[in-house]
Amino acid sequence: MTALRERLQKVNPLWWQLGLLVLAILFPLPLGDYHRSVLWRTGLYIILGLSLNIIVGYAGLFQLGHAAFYALGAYTTALLNIHFGVPILLTLPVAILVGAVFGYLITRPILHLRGDYLCIVTIAFGEVVRLALVNNIFGITGGANGLSGIERPVLFGLVLRQPIYHYYLVLFFLVFTIFAVRRLENSRLGRAWMYIREDEVAAEAMGIDTVRVKLLAFIIGSGWAALAGSLYAAKITVVSPDQAKFLESVIMFCIVVLGGTGSIPGVFVGTLGMVTLPELSRALKDWRDAWLGLAMVTMMIARPEGLWPSRRIRMEIRAAKEEASVAPAAGN
Amino acid sequence: MALLELRGLTKQFGGLVAVDHVDFDVNEGEILGLIGPNGAGKTTIFNMITGIYPPTEGEIFFRGERIAHPSLTWKERLATPLWWVSWLPVSAIKKRWDGMRTLRPHEITERGIARTFQTIRLFKNLTVLENVMAGLHHRTRAGVWGAIARPPSQQQEEAYIVAEAEKYLAFMGLSDYRDELAKNLPYGHQRRLEIARALAAEPSLLILDEPAAGLNEQETLELMDTIRQIRDSGITILLIEHDMKVVMGICERIVVLDYGKKIAEGTPEEVQNNPRVIEAYLGEEEV
Amino acid sequence: KKEPETIKIGLEVPLTGDYAYEGQGMEKAVRLLVEQVNEQGGLLGRQVELIVEDDAGDPTQAALVAQRLVDAGVVAVIGAYNSTATEPASEIYNEAGILHITPSSTATRLTQKGFQRFFRVCFLDDRQGLFAAKFMKEVLGAQNIAILHDNSTYAQGLAEHTKRYAEEMGLNVVFFDAINPDDTDFTPILTNIASAAPDAVYFTGYHPQGGLLLKQSGELGLDLQWVMGNACNNPELIQIAGLENAVGTYVTTEPLPKDLDYPEAKEYVAAFEAKYGEPVASVWWLMAAEAFNVIRYAIEQTESTDPAVLAEFLHNEAKDIPGLTGPILGWDEKGDRLGTIHVAYVIDENGNFILNPEQPSP
Amino acid sequence: MQFLQQLVNGITIGAFYALVALGYTMVYGVLKLINFAHGDLFMWGAYLGLTGLTVALAALGYTTPWAILPVVIFVMTSVALMGVLVERIAYRPLRSAGRLAPVISALGVAFILESLARNVYGASWKTYPQGLTPSGGLVLAGGVRVSLMQIIVLVASFLLMAGLYLFVHRTRVGTAMRAVSLDHDVSRLMGVDVDRIIMIVFLIGPGLGGVAGLIVALYYGSFDFTLGWIFGLKAFIAAILGGIGNIPGAMLGGMLLGIIETLGAGYMSPQWKDVIAYIILILILIFRPTGLLGERVAEKL
Amino acid sequence: MALLEIENLHTYYGYVHALKGINLTVEEGEIVTLIGANGAGKTTTLRTISGLIRPREGRIVFDGQEIQGMPAHKIVQMGICHAPEGRQIFSTLTVMENLNMGAYTLGGDKETIEENRRRVFDLFPRLEERKNQLGGTLSGGEQQMLTIGRALMSRPRLLMLDEPSLGLAPLLVKTIFEIIKEINQRGVTILLVEQNARAALKIAHRGYVLETGRVVLSGPAQELLQDERVRKAYLGER
Ligand SMILES: Nc1ncnc2c1ncn2[C@@H]1O[C@H](COP(=O)(O)OP(=O)(O)OP(=O)(O)O)[C@@H](O)[C@H]1O
Ligand SMILES: Nc1ncnc2c1ncn2[C@@H]1O[C@H](COP(=O)(O)OP(=O)(O)OP(=O)(O)O)[C@@H](O)[C@H]1O
Ligand SMILES: [Mg+2]
Ligand SMILES: [Mg+2]
């Protein structure tokens, strides 16, 4: 057993990654369209989770309005395509830009807020965006109905219509996202996020421009969420204010925490738990939410550090937990 | 010109005047001690030097540059044309505005002042090495693109950061704990780690707030040696300490505060024999 | 002997989420008919299997469950409830070549995509809007009217059509705004409406909010003449409002099942009450049943389960189908239901919806 | 005059927000936990109140406002017990697990409570029995109407706030609560039974929330299962607006939010009223980062 | 019988074995001091006694009753008062409220509380000047005074002080040790942890020297003061 593990550990990580990639490419082939769509959705939420992970996991900032940027990306694509006929794939960079700019504008004035106050303001901003979309702001968002009639993306003459194509499209961006996020995590910027997450005053005293570093987290995270929004619009062809719902933000937040803040595999696991499994468990019908809630509570109690925490968090939490477990048991 | 000059520095908290028109200089290359009874306003002065809060009155100059002064009130801001355009990304405007606004702590660190805290503020859940790497942040440049694209220059920079951090760890005798979490270190080592982290910022002025608190006498002696070494490497030191052995042993000059006011300044001998200092702070017999 | 294969019919409605109430009722309504059909030996000698999927009123989930229904091999789908959910699903059903009938999505653009197998059994908003405007002008003699919606797809559409027709008829729309359906307190907007002093107020939203509006306007002592759209055609309206606040309120709607002379309608309403112990509380429940009714009729008439054949039949041959909501005249080439059957009801002292003796000219 | 009427309307809504916000603030004050389940406990107050009233009226055989009294007690105790149970099961094991895990657990509890309510009581709108609430009122100068219910609600919420404030700031247990909120270990060293204090908080917060649910449902006469989410979010915002953890702050925040919303709806547009309220919230927090009355912050460096 | 008796105490932080079989006794009416280098386990010993950490092995007997594993608040109610190290005051309570928390176990005994408060203010006039200031905004030394003052608010039988002189001005350090002696003379038993070993040994009756979780030396304070090893390692004599 240990011998096997040692042998496996010796394998070049590149092989692991390639293997996983090949698996991801082949996996949907034997499935029906429904399950391919589920895979597509899973991939999409992983991208969203990774983008939020930059803000919540790396920089330690509470963001409970992330869905707003997801919706902004989707609406950008929809508007550009419907009114100006811009091909879907060309709207992606614009969407990222719009997400990033909004991320900047919205968070710049509120960065000095601490913990829960920041959290509530992000909720408020999320709701403002949603309500603005519902109320058909500037007469361009189509009100509660949202916008429809978005074209299908075309790639080298191929119209991406079937779920499988959209799955591959999402997979492509997912791979790129993971690549970029991993590099960010292990960089000077990634460390600066860590420092401000740990102790902002000390970080500032060490010469870290906390405002700038936090802003960067928001800008990158928001832009990336907007990209996911565009990918959504490309498949569903309808965008609606529902995308900016508070519940969506909550789901994204749970994805990050349930899997383990700051952990990339954690986001995968979190997405499986918050999005994929509930989708596949339609048989539970009306009780789906209750089960989901129950699962969230039990998971957190069983593994407060998340299902697949980053190595760092694992170290921290274990220490804290063992400290607590040696303290007198509660309530006797 | 002195390295650091405090001019009429005053801080009020509500009705309480914590620091009251204090003037003194810190000269390049010296170890200056700041002492005084509890609550005299020593830490408050440190906090004003490092930009944690602005003074109510007075100014601080570092290498001749004004780094602290009372912040503008809203009324003054509204009356300042420059304020209205300060957000414009024009470097000329930015420069002039920088001269008027209060500097933020990280900007002061960039100018060459690093500190430790009275109550230890390490990044508890990060490793010892990572703690020290924090000090190098403002001396390095890589940004978002560098992180993602990882050009050779960025890789070199990373290697440099680690090497430098290890250097300071070795200097403070913490190399063995490189990969421990900071919070698991004994108190005395945490103190040393705080100093290592501050040193990594390559300051020309190092500010230490009660570095010997919580150390036993043996460790205190070692710390005194370390501080001398730091000074000998060309770093000026400003130090708060209640342990008279340390203060009298290593400081060239001492400033004494009481109730926010400077009551004495001079060599250890002068201060030690100053009756006001004895009455307010030292007590009748020598400790 | 092998059992003949079942005929699979899909129902895509919101069983959870904000519209859960409607979706759950729609499921009951359709299930009742399916059971009746199966008891009578099924369709074309085959049993009908109803596959229900929950889209929570959300377009993403709608697209997913649409895919599920397609994978399950349904012949026809009833749904979705709200237009936002219907839209992405309709694309998928269209690509899969499935007959798709929406009971309640009234957004105009749904039928403008040229989907050959897409139909509605509800009427487009503009017919009711026209009726409401006429009613207020001719029957109530109103000159200044207020229009209030709740920002939902449906209510907003109806409100806008009403406004357009009212203005064409020379009425003054002195107040036009929306409430937020999540709210429970509407006193601010009521206070505002009252100060605009309209002769009639037309509310196009749903009955829970309608009830609260009546209640709060009564409690504020406001003297407003309320007219409500068909989404308020629900006995709960009176419960929520309190009888004294609800009396004298008009409702523009398709005729209630109890007022239909068709045996099918009466029978259905009775059966529903017998089975579930509650009335058919919402128009949309009835519309969902109607959609199934139409599918059954088409299958029986064509003796086919080929969606293309069924659609062809509905477009060209279906006329005067005995529906639960009155005879169905047929569908135009886009799939919109022909004709209009709106009438005005009034709430009497006993808390009943009775047909208003005066109706506008047809 | 319209302005005065709108103000009266706003104050009433504000009183409801304040009632719910008090519960948020209590729990937050002690555990630094945003109890996302609070809104749903509040909603359960409305449902249990319905059950209680139905049973009480059926037992009595006739309708009388006095039936409300036993129901208030029933709702208060049962929701308080639910609160304590939630704390035991979902929060206590996570006391030392950082800030995020309890938040997720709280959200999970919210999902469960809402789903339970929907499945037990059904998704449809529920109406309270008629004729329970006093219907009289005053007409002030200029035709401004204030109903008896409005007065009752307002007085009740003020009394509750004052009572809570005195409890937390003037009593020994109250001081212990504030101590526990700062440091569990040191509180233990003072001889405080931390678990008991937290239990008390979870009796008071949800108990209050449950009664608030009952009052809201009585006042409006009808509700559905989304009540918890919507009121919960608003009340939470009210608590933050006033400075979370601060009892008069919750009251002030609630009132202010109610008034802003009403005036926004009355003078600008009901569609945009929430946006207006949120933007004012954001502006207030930008300039007063710890809310209007503020949380006491004391961090010495 | 001794007031406090500790036998073979083992305490862990996760995998860190912090106390490796400590034995010590404190007699009624004594001042006993624990000295030792940083990380020797002095604080851990106090935390284990007061119930903040549960030992994995060993017995703690206070006044004839085994208290290991009891919840901390119960232990406190039995008469053990622990003034923790590092100024752990309630930062957003005022000085006054902090002191009241110190008297929590006295319940509603207003008179005693008032009397104790008077005494604390007499000892630390600075605290009276600041009585309505929030604890967290006090200067380091003022916070230290508050920690000690708060501990003096109750009527403990055993008072455990963890580095009470930390961060205090020289004048006050002297005062603190005098106060400790005075309290002791009024019949309170004291277990004192100090970095300032010389001063601690001067006022203590007996002392224990801890090294990496073990007691390596113990005896009357006077003897320890003279001990070669102690002088070298802890009194800074070269
Ligand atoms: N934020 C604040 N609000 C109110 N008072 C404050 C604040 N910060 C400091 N003070 C007060 O200002 C005075 C000076 O405090 P400071 O921390 O500078 O003292 P110090 O000289 O460092 O004392 P010590 O040696 O005890 O650390 C103290 O009396 C303290 O209570
Ligand atoms: N929370 C903790 N987690 C892990 N290890 C800890 C923790 N607290 C203390 N330790 C370890 O336990 C050992 C004993 O620590 P303790 O704090 O008891 O020492 P001490 O003698 O009080 O030292 P000091 O003079 O620094 O206060 C040390 O090695 C320390 O690293
Ligand atoms: Mg200080
Ligand atoms: Mg210690």
Side-chain angles (χ1 to χ4, degrees), chain A residues 301-331:
Chain A
I301 292 173
R303 291 184 69 100
E305 69 274 31
L307 295 176
W308 191 324
S310 63
R311 218 187 64 245
R312 176 175 309 285
I313 304 276
R314 219 148 47 207
M315 265 156 74
E316 287 170 25
I317 301 261
R318 188 172 303 150
K321 210 159 96 181
E322 272 158 7
E323 202 174 315
S325 72
V326 288

Side-chain angles (χ1 to χ4, degrees), chain A residues 100-165:
Chain A
V101 167
F102 269 86
Y104 174 82
L105 292 178
I106 286 178
T107 45
R108 180 64 192 86
I110 59 170
L111 271 183
H112 61 293
L113 296 181
R114 289 176 309 126
D116 295 325
Y117 291 90
L118 184 66
C119 164
I120 194 70
V121 169
T122 58
I123 295 179
F125 266 123
E127 282 294 284
V128 168
V129 169
R130 184 182 69 84
L131 289 168
L133 296 175
V134 169
N135 292 340
N136 200 3
I137 192 168
F138 309 131
I140 56 170
T141 65
N145 302 326
L147 297 167
S148 64
I150 301 166
E151 287 167 17
R152 297 289 184 178
V154 183
L155 193 64
F156 306 123
L158 173 72
V159 182
L160 305 184
R161 204 180 284 279
Q162 267 71 39
I164 187 93
Y165 294 132

Side-chain angles (χ1 to χ4, degrees), chain E residues 84-99:
Chain E
E85 113 189 287
R87 308 164 185 148
Q88 300 188 32
I89 40 108
F90 298 111
S91 60
T92 61
L93 299 193
T94 62
V95 168
M96 203 66 154
E97 288 168 331
N98 264 284
L99 292 178

Side-chain angles (χ1 to χ4, degrees), chain B residues 187 214, chain E residues 37-44 46-47 85-86 162-163 193 195:
Chain B
Y187 190 85
Chain E
N38 274 300
K42 307 179 293 291
T43 301
T44 310
L46 298 197
R47 286 169 61 88
E85 113 189 287
D162 200 346
E163 307 203 13
V193 167
Q195 290 293 355

Side-chain angles (χ1 to χ4, degrees), chain C residues 148-295:
Chain C
L148 191 60
H149 62 94
D150 69 2
N151 249 332
S152 67
T153 317
Y154 158 75
Q156 191 178 353
L158 176 54
E160 274 161 9
H161 289 300
T162 310
K163 179 169 188 246
R164 182 162 50 86
Y165 286 119
E167 280 167 353
E168 278 173 16
M169 288 174 202
L171 299 181
N172 302 325
V173 178
V174 293
F175 185 93
F176 186 92
D177 212 332
I179 58 161
N180 176 359
D182 288 342
D183 285 342
T184 35
D185 201 311
F186 303 115
T187 44
I189 195 161
L190 286 169
T191 312
N192 259 1
I193 295 176
S195 63
D199 302 324
V201 190
Y202 190 44
F203 174 63
T204 63
Y206 293 78
H207 74 269
Q209 287 75 39
L212 285 173
L213 282 168
L214 291 179
K215 178 177 157 91
Q216 289 165 22
S217 114
E219 282 168 357
L220 284 174
L222 304 179
D223 181 25
L224 296 174
Q225 175 58 60
W226 286 92
V227 182
M228 308 223 152
N230 60 353
C232 280
N233 176 5
N234 189 315
E236 276 190 12
L237 177 81
I238 302 168
Q239 263 184 45
I240 294 172
L243 183 56
E244 72 273 19
N245 299 320
V247 169
T249 300
Y250 296 98
V251 178
T252 63
T253 177
E254 297 80 1
L256 288 173
K258 69 175 169 59
D259 294 316
L260 292 170
D261 259 342
Y262 312 100
E264 295 89 346
K266 287 197 180 315
E267 219 174 84
Y268 179 79
V269 174
F272 191 97
E273 292 214 32
K275 180 161 166 89
Y276 300 112
E278 56 176 320
V280 184
S282 158
V283 193
W284 310 120
W285 301 4
L286 197 64
M287 285 296 185
E290 183 78 299
F292 180 79
N293 199 33
V294 167
I295 294 169

Side-chain angles (χ1 to χ4, degrees), chain B residues 16 37-39 118 186-188 210 213-219 221 242 244 259 279-285 287, chain E residues 37-38 87 126 129-130 139-142 145 166-172 174 195-196 232-236 238:
Chain B
L16 174 79
N38 296 116
Q118 180 164 7
Y187 190 85
E210 296 193 27
L215 302 189
N216 66 31
E217 316 222 351
Q218 181 57 37
E219 290 163 331
L221 290 177
H242 285 302
M244 284 308 107
Y259 280 99
E279 190 209 356
Y281 184 62
L282 294 173
E284 288 310 323
E285 52 173 318
V287 179
Chain E
N38 274 300
R87 308 164 185 148
R126 194 56 181 242
E129 282 171 35
R130 299 270 181 271
S139 87
E142 289 163 349
M145 295 176 212
L166 185 85
L168 290 185
L171 195 55
L172 257 177
K174 258 182 282 175
Q195 290 293 355
N196 193 340
K232 231 176 156 168
Y234 305 110
L235 303 182
R238 298 192 169 180

